[in-house]
Amino acid sequence: AQSVAQPEDQVNVAEGNPLTVKCTYSVSGNPYLFWYVQYPNRGLQFLLKYITGDNLVKGSYGFEAEFNKSQTSFHLKKPSALVSDSALYFCAVRDRSSGSARQLTFGSGTQLTVLP
Amino acid sequence: KAGVTQTPRYLIKTRGQQVTLSCSPISGHRSVSWYQQTPGQGLQFLFEYFSETQRNKGNFPGRFSGRQFSNSRSEMNVSTLELGDSALYLCASSLGESSGANVLTFGAGSRLTVL
């Protein structure tokens, strides 16, 4: 079975400071990993994904994520937070090797608030 | 290019009724997945359709059903509504099957309130 954990329900950061939203995953094989963001009354928007290769993945709006296989983590980062980054962030995983686990499994979400 | 369109955006039903939600995927996308989002359970996978065939199903009771039409539009139906069915129902489409590294593009959702 595949699963995702986002240990922090809420992350607060001051505008201009770096931000990190944590994600750890569990799969039986190797993962495909994704980050999505949800603004109020909107659907989820894709930010970035890890397939293979470089452990540092760059995505939309200046976000990046670092894949760490030994720690089974895929933390989302941004060097300088903006107030407009305030939103709900979801990490998601698919097991690369499992034919039955085709669906995307999401974490519980982390509410990011960037304070002006 | 139009995004994923879900209708209706908001609806209120009473217990015991049934509801049908509609999703029009991005033009050319053949896969449609449905998710239920609630504050307590988060995002839970309902089912996925590809080329009019259900490819995968989540752990939901049989009251939840869906279908996909030849134009890739999809509907989901919930019968005998319960209070716990109140949720945001999200539809997502992808070009190919919802697998591997394929990215899902989500609609804005249909917010169902059951009274």
Side-chain angles (χ1 to χ4, degrees):
Chain A
Q2 57 191 34
S3 65
V4 177
Q6 292 182 242
E8 300 159 319
D9 292 335
Q10 175 83 39
V11 169
N12 295 327
V13 63
E15 188 174 30
N17 282 2
L19 70 87
T20 298
V21 182
K22 295 179 181 177
C23 169
T24 58
Y25 66 89
S26 175
V27 295
S28 56
N30 291 310
Y32 293 110
L33 292 157
F34 303 79
W35 276 101
Y36 284 82
V37 60
Q38 186 177 33
Y39 297 97
N41 300 315
R42 304 279 292 275
L44 277 68
Q45 297 178 32
F46 169 74
L47 279 178
L48 51 80
K49 67 179 176 181
Y50 171 80
I51 303 175
T52 188
D54 195 349
N55 289 342
L56 186 64
V57 179
K58 294 190 183 296
S60 307
Y61 313 117
F63 284 94
E64 57 190 28
E66 187 169 11
F67 171 67
N68 187 316
K69 186 172 184 177
S70 62
Q71 296 185 4
T72 61
S73 67
F74 190 55
H75 301 329
L76 182 70
K77 301 173 186 285
K78 187 173 182 181
S80 178
L82 300 172
V83 172
S84 57
D85 293 331
S86 298
L88 187 57
Y89 290 80
F90 290 95
C91 182
V93 69
R94 271 200 201 99
D95 189 331
R96 194 185 286 263
S97 58
S98 172
S100 63
R102 293 154 47 83
Q103 71 270 22
L104 210 49
T105 298
F106 287 88
S108 55
T110 298
Q111 180 66 48
L112 172 68
T113 301
V114 181
L115 305 168
Chain B
K1 193 175 187 181
V4 178
T5 304
Q6 291 190 245
T7 57
R9 287 293 313 277
Y10 303 91
L11 66 167
I12 300 174
K13 294 285 187 178
T14 56
R15 279 181 298 174
Q17 288 188 311
Q18 67 95 27
V19 66
T20 299
L21 308 177
S22 178
C23 172
S24 293
I26 289 174
S27 178
H29 283 196
R30 295 169 61 195
S31 170
V32 173
S33 299
W34 288 89
Y35 286 81
Q36 181 196 63
Q37 185 178 17
T38 59
Q41 299 297 319
L43 280 157
Q44 293 187 283
F45 172 75
L46 282 157
F47 25 65
E48 180 211 351
Y49 288 87
F50 181 80
S51 294
E52 302 178 65
T53 302
Q54 187 179 88
R55 294 304 183 100
N56 207 356
K57 190 177 190 322
N59 189 25
F60 278 82
R63 300 186 296 107
F64 291 80
S65 63
R67 59 179 176 169
Q68 186 180 33
F69 302 95
S70 58
N71 62 358
S72 294
R73 190 178 71 84
S74 177
E75 289 181 348
M76 66 163 283
N77 183 278
V78 188
S79 62
T80 320
L81 283 166
E82 301 176 358
L83 295 178
D85 297 332
S86 294
L88 181 65
Y89 290 88
L90 292 166
C91 165
S93 73
S94 62
L95 188 61
E97 295 183 65
S98 176
S99 63
N102 284 342
V103 172
L104 299 182
T105 302
F106 284 82
S110 292
R111 184 166 296 281
L112 170 66
T113 301
V114 182
L115 302 176

